[in-house]
Amino acid sequence: MIGFLTKNKSIRNAVLSLTFALSAYANAGEIEVVFLDDTGVGFNSQESYAPVGGNNATTLGEARKNVLYRAIRMVESQVNIKTNFAINVKFKVLGGDVENFDAITSGPTFIFHNQHNGNPYGILESSRLYPSNLISTLQSTITKSSTISTTMFSLDTPFYLGFDNNSQERSFISTVLHEPVHVMGFAKINCFSSCLPKPISKPSHFTKFVFAQGEPLVAFDELSIDEQEAVASSSDGLLFLGSAATQSKLTKLLTGGVHDGAVELHADGESDGQKISHFSPNVQPTQLMASDGANVQDFGAAAYILCDIGWCRESGQVIDIALDLVGTQFKARPGRLLNVDFVIHNNTNTAVDNIKFETRFPEAITLSDAFLENGECAVLEDTLMSCSVNTIRANESLDVHFTLSGNIGEYQLSGELSSTSFDVDSHGSNNLFDIEFVVQPNTPPSIELGDTMRVNEGETVSISASSYDEDNDDLTHSWVQLSGPKVELSDENTLDLMFIAPEISQDSNLVFKLTVFDGEDEVSSIIDVSVLDLDKENTKQAPNDSGGSFGWVLLSVIGFCCLEKHQPKITILVCCCNSRFVDNYSNLIKKVSL
């Protein structure tokens, strides 16, 4: 189970601080991550790591950081935060009441609304407590980063560190995503951790949506302190009742734990404050905030609660926009252009406004010819391309295109898709992309092909070859016949060549050439095919065949074959007899002189 603690604790000075400022482009806010681990521990571990699931780190600490950064990018692309805040993170052995948890979070910091700071959306109430990052957003102020939470991750949990989440092991990306949802304000009532059974005296941004189960539902804020404590420690007696859109969606999304559109919170009779900030175990299918912490990367029902408590500013909606990268080969030659194509999908049944697609790239490469269907693109600051479109219709898809070029080297590009409206995107994993762009000289392909073959005339001949390209370029193949009796090639543009050996009167040799082209360089290989004349072969006498009974025939016909009369000497040559007889008697009669 993933735990959530909100009891204030003293935090020692950070030994390492890193600003993850990528969101400064997509949204105005910036999340700062402060690492509290000692050298060689937790996020700073130097233990070797084998890359898995798209996480190509080489040390355990680096792999953990990569997952954390990815989760932060997802949250920033999903929620228009418009504020700056910092979160502390650390790995440690969790003990006591939380020893079975994968992570615990202390925070976020809650504050009262100060009327002098404005209330442009009309949401803030002076009598309620709000998470400091939410209240800053609702006041349209971008503040200097202040630490609002601390998350401790269990050193005893064998987390799976891939980005793909396709493991039966506990997924770290799911755990890391879970904790910022709490930080964004999906929190229990304003008591912190062990407040129960202490009196609950102040309403919060969250309690205005919380009800006690009954007929009819009873607003939590209207209950007496004793009644609040009783319902908070009851079994599935605490419900979250949001907007009409939330009620409708939750009823369709969840198959359990829903009562008249309200979803059960995790009040299980133990008076455990942290559990109230989770869905009840009765909520199925499990979503991101389910108390059993299933391996998911979709906010699910939690997205609707975040929208209700203020992040949608009452004018936004829960959406699901996605980014698909077309193609997987991102290699180019020096000075050559590489085409990069994306498709933006709106998986929402309503239109989504103010779509922004941004790409960050290093100065050493050139990004050009940027295009967004129905929108516009511009390259900013030499390292940022920003594209925007006013509206993408319900279930519509739009194309994005640009080209890359550069000198020899390896480069990293990354980016996000987001809505700059007051929407909450339920799924952030499909909003991100990361490209490794490699510029290198071409490596010519290679061919494996035998040197010679022996076949009979009239035989169906099959020649098999193989080709390989180190750059994984697309290859083309072509066969040509260089010499010998002409044959008809069945398919000269594949690796396997077939033809029928020609009918011949004598042994012949055919020569073929295979050429492989990778778009820039070509290589060739030649094979010789020897074709045997079957008629000639069939008429040959084996060396041990008997021919003794025909010896007298040889001698008797000599005079008729090659007798030269009236000469002092007569040379008898076997010139008109079948060659097989000559073969048999080659040692008997070679030359006769008379």
Side-chain angles (χ1 to χ4, degrees), residues 11-17 33-46 60-62 64-65 68 87-93 150-155 172:
I11 306 300
R12 66 175 176 82
N13 292 331
V15 296
L16 177 62
S17 171
V33 180
V34 182
F35 296 97
L36 304 182
D37 288 309
D38 293 329
T39 302
V41 179
F43 284 104
N44 297 322
S45 173
Q46 295 302 304
L60 181 59
E62 182 186 5
R64 289 166 170 168
K65 286 182 178 179
L68 177 64
I87 57 174
N88 294 334
V89 295
K90 182 180 181 177
F91 270 86
K92 67 174 295 184
V93 176
T150 298
T151 298
M152 302 290 185
F153 297 99
S154 173
L155 274 173
F172 192 49

Side-chain angles (χ1 to χ4, degrees), residues 77-78 321-323 415-418 425 427-433:
S77 72
Q78 290 175 265
I321 53 177
L323 189 64
E416 295 83 30
L417 174 70
S418 64
D425 194 334
H427 203 320
S429 178
N430 55 18
N431 290 22
L432 313 182
F433 79 89

Side-chain angles (χ1 to χ4, degrees), residues 318-558:
V318 176
I319 62 173
D320 181 15
I321 53 177
L323 189 64
D324 276 345
L325 181 58
V326 181
T328 57
Q329 296 295 323
F330 299 103
K331 296 182 179 181
R333 311 288 176 253
R336 299 284 184 90
L337 294 178
L338 173 72
N339 293 308
V340 181
D341 294 282
F342 292 86
V343 179
I344 296 174
H345 302 284
N346 177 15
N347 298 323
T348 315
N349 290 326
T350 58
V352 177
D353 296 330
N354 302 319
I355 297 296
K356 181 171 286 188
F357 168 74
E358 294 187 323
T359 302
R360 292 171 300 282
F361 56 95
E363 293 182 356
I365 67 174
T366 299
L367 188 152
S368 58
D369 301 326
F371 165 81
L372 169 60
E373 184 180 357
N374 298 336
E376 56 185 15
C377 296
V379 176
L380 311 174
E381 304 175 13
D382 296 328
T383 58
L384 172 70
M385 180 195 72
S386 180
C387 299
S388 60
V389 62
N390 290 333
T391 301
I392 179 170
R393 296 189 298 270
N395 301 305
E396 184 182 22
S397 297
L398 301 176
D399 294 328
V400 183
H401 170 84
F402 56 85
T403 61
L404 298 174
S405 62
N407 296 321
I408 294 175
E410 295 183 3
Y411 308 97
Q412 300 291 329
L413 290 83
S414 60
E416 295 83 30
L417 174 70
S418 64
S419 167
T420 58
S421 294
F422 302 142
D423 298 326
V424 174
D425 194 334
S426 64
H427 203 320
S429 178
N430 55 18
N431 290 22
L432 313 182
F433 79 89
D434 297 278
I435 293 175
E436 181 177 312
F437 175 48
V438 179
V439 181
Q440 61 186 19
N442 186 52
T443 302
S446 59
I447 301 174
E448 289 188 7
L449 180 64
D451 295 330
T452 61
M453 289 183 66
R454 290 174 61 86
V455 299
N456 295 323
E457 61 178 340
E459 181 180 339
T460 298
V461 182
S462 177
I463 302 175
S464 295
S466 63
S467 60
Y468 170 76
D469 189 82
E470 185 176 329
D471 302 327
N472 290 322
D473 294 326
D474 293 330
L475 301 178
T476 60
H477 307 85
S478 61
W479 289 90
V480 295
Q481 183 178 354
L482 300 180
S483 63
K486 189 68 174 177
V487 296
E488 183 177 349
L489 306 181
S490 62
D491 191 346
E492 61 269 28
N493 295 317
T494 63
L495 275 172
D496 298 328
L497 179 68
M498 294 186 64
F499 62 90
I500 297 177
E503 300 288 341
I504 52 178
S505 58
Q506 61 182 6
D507 293 351
S508 300
N509 197 50
L510 284 64
V511 180
F512 300 92
K513 181 175 74 171
L514 170 64
T515 300
V516 179
F517 182 56
D518 66 359
E520 186 167 341
D521 293 316
E522 67 178 28
V523 293
S524 298
S525 184
I526 290 175
I527 184 171
D528 292 334
V529 180
S530 297
V531 183
L532 303 181
D533 176 14
L534 286 182
D535 288 341
K536 179 179 180 181
E537 289 296 301
N538 289 336
T539 56
K540 284 185 178 180
Q541 190 72 270
N544 295 326
D545 284 351
S546 175
S549 60
F550 296 95
W552 65 271
V553 177
L554 259 150
L555 295 177
S556 64
V557 298
I558 287 175

Side-chain angles (χ1 to χ4, degrees), residues 101 121 157 193 341 466 477:
F101 292 3
Y121 305 108
T157 301
S193 184
D341 294 282
S466 63
H477 307 85

